[in-house]
Amino acid sequence: MKIVSAIALSSRSTTIESIVKRMTQELLEEMEIQSNKWHRSAVILHSISVILGVTSVLSSVIVATFIDELGSFRTKIFAGLSAASVAILETTSVGRKGNGFRQAQRHLKAETIRFREGESSVKALTQAFIEAELMIGDLVIKMPSTSDAEQK
């Protein structure tokens, strides 16, 4: 009877260990997927920021350099393009948002590495995920109020 109980206990222990191992692997995979999503978001937002910045500068340079050659209509197009690019950059803070995604990705990746090396716990990994989410923050559209415009 003792041998049967020992075998059953050993079998149950092996089953629990395999469940814990599988759950840990799934957790690590989920964290890796999220880290990759945040990396992709950071690259996209930084690219948009650079494109808008370059568009604004080039449009302004074209207007300043070729005002006589462009004519009235094209000058308005390039000036409007420059103004719209700056407005989008300023109201959405797209570069700051990209930085938030990059910081979150790095933070989560560092904690995931510590977890894989046995230097961290599920609780610490979960806390790192929560902290990373806070680093990203919410999208805030900054629209100047009419009182701000009147003061200038």
Side-chain angles (χ1 to χ4, degrees):
M1 185 69 166
K2 289 182 180 181
I3 295 173
V4 174
S5 295
I7 292 172
L9 184 59
S10 174
S11 175
R12 191 175 305 140
S13 177
T14 303
T15 304
I16 291 172
E17 287 173 11
S18 66
I19 290 171
V20 169
K21 187 175 181 179
R22 188 174 65 239
M23 289 175 69
T24 301
Q25 186 59 37
E26 288 174 8
L27 177 64
L28 286 169
E29 288 171 8
E30 286 298 317
M31 293 300 166
E32 189 68 30
I33 288 168
Q34 191 61 54
S35 180
N36 289 338
K37 285 180 183 178
W38 288 341
H39 170 73
R40 214 171 314 119
S41 295
V43 169
I44 290 168
L45 290 173
H46 284 141
S47 297
I48 290 170
S49 180
V50 168
I51 289 168
L52 288 172
V54 168
T55 299
S56 175
V57 170
L58 287 179
S59 296
S60 295
V61 169
I62 288 170
V63 167
T65 306
F66 302 108
I67 195 162
D68 293 332
E69 293 87 346
L70 288 173
S72 177
F73 179 73
R74 287 191 194 119
T75 299
K76 289 177 184 177
I77 294 292
F78 282 108
L81 185 59
S82 178
S85 297
V86 169
I88 292 169
L89 277 171
E90 287 299 313
T91 58
T92 62
S93 299
V94 102
R96 185 201 61 77
K97 193 67 168 170
N99 291 341
F101 275 108
R102 176 66 65 222
Q103 289 171 344
Q105 183 258 338
R106 288 176 178 156
H107 184 69
L108 184 60
K109 191 168 191 98
E111 190 61 37
T112 301
I113 290 169
R114 284 192 288 276
F115 184 80
R116 282 186 197 272
E117 296 298 318
E119 299 172 7
S120 181
S121 65
V122 171
K123 185 176 181 178
L125 186 58
T126 305
Q127 183 62 36
F129 181 85
I130 293 167
E131 292 166 355
E133 283 280 340
L134 292 172
M135 289 174 187
I136 295 169
D138 296 324
L139 177 63
V140 177
I141 304 295
K142 297 182 293 187
M143 298 296 288
S145 68
T146 53
S147 62
D148 291 342
E150 292 171 0
Q151 290 176 358
K152 292 180 181 180

